[in-house]
Amino acid sequence: MSAQADLRGAIVAALRADAALTAVIGADRVHDGAPRGAAIPFVDLGAVETRLLAATPDEGERHIVEVLAYSRKPARGEVSAVLTAIRDVLAELGPAVGAQRLVHVSDPVMRSERQRDGRGWRGRLSVRIVTEPAA
């Protein structure tokens, strides 16, 4: 399995297990590729960009991970609470990420914006994560 796949799996598992996030959005609302018609509010893993730190993956990889949150509330309070919960989960992500070791999590950026249809909000959290092979 690739470092990116290990990282995606670890992030989704950590978000699904977080009581604070579940309290805001409900159970079974974290996806890696949200199904069509997913119940709102929900969280979806967005773009994940991976780059080598040096010449080979054995020397580590840098990932820019985007997590999206969706809400239909009239104000952005719910989506902001979801983004804060996601940021807290990612900050506490354990050192073992599949066959990878998490080295560093930094630079969280949160953004919220009204959906184009005007019926809700989309939040976006972007964070930089560095991993290296565990062995």
Side-chain angles (χ1 to χ4, degrees):
M1 199 178 253
S2 72
Q4 187 184 108
D6 286 343
L7 182 59
R8 284 191 345 257
I11 289 171
V12 169
L15 292 172
R16 287 178 177 163
D18 187 68
L21 180 59
T22 300
V24 177
I25 65 172
D28 302 320
R29 302 262 179 113
V30 175
H31 309 286
D32 184 1
R36 193 169 267 230
I40 297 175
F42 70 89
V43 169
D44 192 24
L45 200 56
V48 181
E49 177 183 310
T50 299
R51 295 183 182 196
L52 296 177
L53 288 176
T56 69
D58 294 342
E59 299 176 62
E61 295 175 295
R62 181 186 74 199
H63 314 271
I64 305 298
V65 178
E66 181 179 83
V67 184
L68 307 171
Y70 295 88
S71 170
R72 286 274 192 233
K73 298 288 184 184
R76 71 179 81 218
E78 181 178 63
V79 84
S80 293
V82 172
L83 291 176
T84 299
I86 293 168
R87 183 192 62 202
D88 294 347
V89 169
L90 295 180
E92 298 298 321
L93 203 56
V97 178
Q100 303 296 309
R101 184 174 75 81
L102 188 121
V103 176
H104 190 66
V105 177
S106 66
D107 304 328
V109 175
M110 296 189 302
R111 174 188 170 124
S112 61
E113 59 194 5
R114 185 163 289 284
Q115 293 269 46
R116 287 186 179 163
D117 64 8
R119 295 177 37 212
W121 295 89
R122 179 178 61 201
R124 181 185 322 258
L125 181 135
S126 179
V127 64
R128 186 171 66 96
I129 299 174
V130 177
T131 61
E132 63 185 21

